[in-house]
């Protein structure tokens, strides 16, 4: 995986081609490179100063990170402003006034300053690849070149809203069991470390052998008291190591994405989400007039799973050699037959974007249904797990008390 450039934020002041004083913020490796970048944009820099970095590496002066929801909101608001006939530069000011995130507000002003300096909207977005993906930049560029920026921004906004909704559904499916299991783990450790020793002192005065379940819990308590700090440290190290491996090792990340497709229930959800993204992005780009081969390039980076990314790249190669897309899709073996058939109908009727849009809507609904089914299935399983683990600990501790009559 390619390493990111070590860029930092610089605030600058200067004059544009019309001699007007302007200022803004720009990312760069050093002041000299920022000045060179400003000159390319038609700005004569007068002052370039590095922004003081906040603690803990958080972005922006406020330390508040820009989330994908912020970018989606920005795109929708810009689409609305342009459609209403508001000039582009003025639209940035109006949108920035309605943004709550100070870091996002700074980003909007920086894009505005870049556009005010004589650059087009797409070029301004391309300066922030960490926030605006290649697909968004390409669609905005196509809209500017075709003189249809308002309709293209609307398509980008719809695409981002659909993608965000899909992501939210998957998070919803995972959030409940994850939080419940974490709380169960913490409660179990507290019981073993703090509560069981109190019972253990009382049991020592019984003068009789403890029941098997109680002996087992007491043994677990002794192990937990001796090693619980080590266990927490190990979990933190494992979590950080896993996260860093996903970010830094392409082989590990690809292997994990392939593994997720094989996980029961969850793998089916990932497949449906990938197919929905494929159909949604391809429908959006094709409807925007992007050539099919170029559209497939954009789709490959947006499907969210390496198996489907490789499949899309294979489809792109076969389509570029003259193969019909539905044949290329069928040969990959990863797309449902329904999507292949709808693609075939779309190619024959000349309405590929409309058919893909229907397929995307269908699979987005399938993801929604899968999330509801998974939640309905996991809730009783999680409750049963909590009952067995925590309930078992409590029963094991009270079992000697229930048998106290026999001991006496």
């Amino acid at each position: 995986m390619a390493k990111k450039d070590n860029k930092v934020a610089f605030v600058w002041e200067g004059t544009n081609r019309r001699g007007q004083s302007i200022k803004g913020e720009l990312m760069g490796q050093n002041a000299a490179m920022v000045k060179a970048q400003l000159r390319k944009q038609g700005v004569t820099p007068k002052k370039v100063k590095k922004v003081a970095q906040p603690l803990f590496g958080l972005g922006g002066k406020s330390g508040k990170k820009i989330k994908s929801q912020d970018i989606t909101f920005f795109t929708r608001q810009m689409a609305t402003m342009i459609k209403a006939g508001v000039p582009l530069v003025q639209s940035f000011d109006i949108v920035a006034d309605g943004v709550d995130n100070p870091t996002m507000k700074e980003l909007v002003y920086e894009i505005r300053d870049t556009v005010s300096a004589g650059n087009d909207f797409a070029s301004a977005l391309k300066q922030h690849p960490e926030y605006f993906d290649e697909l968004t930049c390409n669609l905005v560029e196509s809209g500017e070149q075709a003189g249809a920026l308002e309709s293209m921004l609307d398509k980008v906004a719809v695409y981002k809203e659909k993608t965000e909704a899909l992501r939210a559904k998957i998070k919803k499916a995972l959030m409940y069991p994850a939080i419940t299991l974490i709380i169960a783990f913490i409660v179990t450790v507290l019981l073993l470390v703090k509560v069981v020793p109190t019972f253990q002192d009382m049991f020592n005065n019984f003068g009789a052998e403890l029941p098997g379940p109680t002996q087992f819990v007491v043994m677990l308590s002794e192990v937990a008291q001796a090693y619980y700090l080590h266990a927490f440290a190990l979990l933190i190290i494992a979590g950080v190591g896993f996260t860093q491996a996903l970010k830094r090792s392409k082989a590990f990340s690809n292997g994990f994405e392939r593994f997720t497709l094989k996980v029961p229930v969850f793998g089916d959800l990932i497949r449906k989400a990938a197919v929905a993204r494929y159909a949604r992005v391809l429908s959006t780009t094709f409807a925007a007039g992007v050539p099919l081969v170029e559209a497939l390039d954009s789709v490959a980076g947006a499907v969210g799973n390496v198996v489907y990314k490789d499949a899309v790249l294979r489809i792109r190669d076969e389509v570029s050699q003259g193969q019909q897309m539905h044949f290329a899709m069928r040969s990959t073996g990863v797309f449902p037959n329904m999507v292949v058939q709808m693609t075939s109908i779309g190619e024959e009727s000349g309405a590929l974007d409309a058919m893909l849009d229907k397929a995307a809507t269908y699979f987005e609904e399938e993801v929604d249904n899968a999330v509801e089914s998974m939640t309905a299935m996991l809730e009783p399983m999680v409750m049963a797990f909590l009952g067995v683990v925590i309930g078992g600990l409590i029963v094991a501790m009270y079992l000697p008390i229930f048998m106290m009559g026999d001991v006496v």
Side-chain angles (χ1 to χ4, degrees):
M1 185 177 290
K3 294 184 178 179
K4 295 181 179 179
D5 295 335
N6 296 321
K7 293 184 177 180
V8 295
F10 288 84
V11 291
W12 56 267
E13 295 179 9
T15 55
N16 60 17
R17 292 185 177 95
R18 295 186 290 273
Q20 299 170 326
S21 296
I22 55 175
K23 60 182 179 179
E25 187 173 318
L26 200 61
M27 301 295 292
Q29 294 180 342
N30 53 53
M33 294 186 69
V34 170
K35 289 180 180 179
Q37 191 173 350
L38 288 171
R39 292 190 185 97
K40 288 181 181 179
Q41 297 174 7
V43 176
T44 302
K46 292 183 177 180
K47 183 190 297 184
V48 175
K49 183 179 179 182
K50 185 177 179 181
V51 175
Q53 294 296 312
L55 292 176
F56 309 114
L58 295 177
K61 295 178 182 178
S62 66
K64 191 172 183 180
K65 292 183 178 179
I66 295 175
K67 299 180 180 179
S68 58
Q69 296 94 320
D70 296 321
I71 301 299
T72 301
F73 175 79
F74 166 75
T75 308
R76 169 52 65 195
Q77 291 297 99
M78 287 299 299
T80 303
M81 291 296 105
I82 299 299
K83 185 177 291 187
V86 180
L88 183 59
V89 175
Q90 187 179 346
S91 297
F92 291 121
D93 290 323
I94 296 173
V95 172
D97 288 340
V99 173
D100 294 327
N101 185 343
T103 311
M104 183 65 201
K105 190 186 294 285
E106 293 173 5
L107 177 63
V108 176
Y109 283 137
E110 184 173 338
I111 295 172
R112 179 204 63 186
D113 293 341
T114 304
V115 172
S116 298
N119 296 276
D120 54 40
F121 191 10
S123 298
L125 296 182
K126 288 178 180 179
Q127 294 182 14
H128 307 279
E130 66 274 30
Y131 302 124
F132 300 98
D133 56 28
E134 184 179 354
L135 173 62
T136 300
C137 297
N138 290 344
L139 289 177
V140 171
E141 186 174 19
S142 298
E144 288 184 302
Q145 292 175 353
L149 182 59
E150 66 174 68
S151 62
M152 201 61 68
L153 276 175
D154 186 67
K155 292 182 185 298
V156 173
V158 170
Y159 149 70
K160 285 192 169 294
E161 287 164 353
K162 296 285 187 180
T163 303
E164 196 62 40
L166 198 63
R167 185 181 293 113
K169 291 172 185 176
I170 296 175
K171 285 183 178 179
K172 177 184 175 182
L174 299 176
M175 192 65 68
Y176 171 76
I179 292 177
T180 305
L181 291 176
I182 290 171
I183 293 175
F185 175 76
I186 294 173
V187 170
T188 302
V189 172
L190 287 175
L191 286 174
L192 291 174
V193 174
K194 299 296 183 181
V195 178
V196 174
T198 303
F199 280 86
Q200 188 176 0
D201 293 338
M202 182 175 62
F203 296 156
N204 291 334
N205 299 323
F206 276 13
E209 185 177 356
L210 297 174
T214 307
Q215 291 183 25
F216 178 72
V217 171
V218 169
M219 181 192 69
L220 285 179
S221 175
E222 292 174 349
V223 173
Q225 291 176 67
Y227 298 107
Y228 77 96
L229 290 177
H230 301 79
F232 274 118
L234 185 62
L235 284 173
I236 293 173
I237 292 172
V240 172
F242 177 78
T243 304
Q244 292 300 314
L246 282 178
K247 290 180 179 179
R248 299 176 182 275
S249 173
K250 189 172 183 179
F252 182 85
S253 176
N254 291 348
F256 179 73
E257 289 181 7
R258 289 189 176 93
F259 169 76
T260 58
L261 294 178
K262 300 177 183 178
V263 177
V265 182
F266 182 68
D268 185 55
L269 177 63
I270 294 295
R271 287 190 189 90
K272 290 176 179 177
V275 173
R277 288 194 194 98
Y278 166 83
R280 176 63 61 196
V281 177
L282 190 55
S283 170
T284 302
T285 52
F286 197 68
V290 179
L292 184 57
V293 174
E294 293 181 21
L296 286 167
D297 267 326
S298 299
V299 173
V303 288
N305 187 281
V306 67
V307 172
Y308 284 86
K309 179 180 180 180
D310 291 343
V312 173
L313 292 176
R314 283 172 54 192
I315 293 171
R316 179 203 63 186
D317 293 340
E318 292 184 21
V319 168
S320 65
Q321 295 171 7
Q323 180 71 274
Q324 284 189 299
M325 193 169 75
H326 70 276
F327 283 123
M329 287 175 61
R330 182 175 284 113
S331 68
T332 63
V334 299
F335 290 96
N337 190 49
M338 189 197 78
V339 179
V340 176
Q341 290 178 344
M342 293 182 75
T343 302
S344 175
I345 294 171
E347 287 184 299
E348 292 174 2
S349 63
L352 182 59
D353 56 332
M355 296 305 295
L356 286 171
D357 181 74
K358 293 181 186 295
T361 301
Y362 173 81
F363 276 93
E364 285 163 358
E365 292 176 356
E366 282 289 293
V367 169
D368 198 15
N369 294 334
V371 168
E372 291 180 1
S373 300
M374 182 183 295
T375 304
M377 180 185 67
L378 287 175
E379 282 183 0
M381 291 177 62
V382 170
M383 294 305 295
F385 174 78
L386 292 179
V388 170
V389 175
I390 298 180
L393 286 175
I394 295 173
V395 170
M397 288 297 95
Y398 278 98
L399 194 58
I401 299 175
F402 297 152
M403 301 173 63
M404 189 177 294
D406 295 336
V407 173
V408 174

